[in-house]
Amino acid sequence: MYLTYDYPSQFKLAVIATTKRTLKAVAKFFISVGNSLAKAQQMRADYYLLNNMSDKQLKDIGVTRGEIKQRFYGTDSET
């Protein structure tokens, strides 16, 4: 008795597995891009709000106007 292999069905299973793996990787990539965009947008909004606060409001939360950029971006306010 000889063993026979059904190559077309094995190929089909391999293609399906590869396709699923690829689609999962692409979905994960776009999710991470979306999360990064949301985080960047939130940082911009927070920066805008702090920049538009009065000096009295900033003093109440313990931040000076010159520290805003440094705290958000880790840079000096001069650059």
Side-chain angles (χ1 to χ4, degrees):
M1 189 185 285
Y2 294 102
L3 293 175
T4 60
Y5 294 101
D6 188 11
Y7 289 112
S9 68
Q10 289 174 342
F11 178 73
K12 184 178 177 181
L13 291 175
V15 168
I16 290 172
T18 303
T19 304
K20 283 182 181 181
R21 194 169 49 245
T22 302
L23 288 176
K24 281 183 182 180
V26 170
K28 186 176 178 181
F29 168 76
F30 281 112
I31 288 170
S32 71
V33 168
N35 290 339
S36 295
L37 289 173
K39 182 180 177 183
Q41 179 61 31
Q42 185 62 51
M43 282 189 68
R44 281 193 298 273
D46 293 341
Y47 184 78
Y48 174 81
L49 288 174
L50 284 173
N51 252 347
N52 289 305
M53 285 183 164
S54 68
D55 289 334
K56 183 181 185 301
Q57 291 171 324
L58 289 173
K59 186 177 179 182
D60 287 343
I61 61 173
V63 177
T64 64
R65 193 159 299 281
E67 293 176 339
I68 295 173
K69 187 174 183 180
Q70 183 179 10
R71 289 194 181 196
F72 267 86
Y73 300 109
T75 60
D76 293 331
S77 59
E78 298 171 7
T79 57

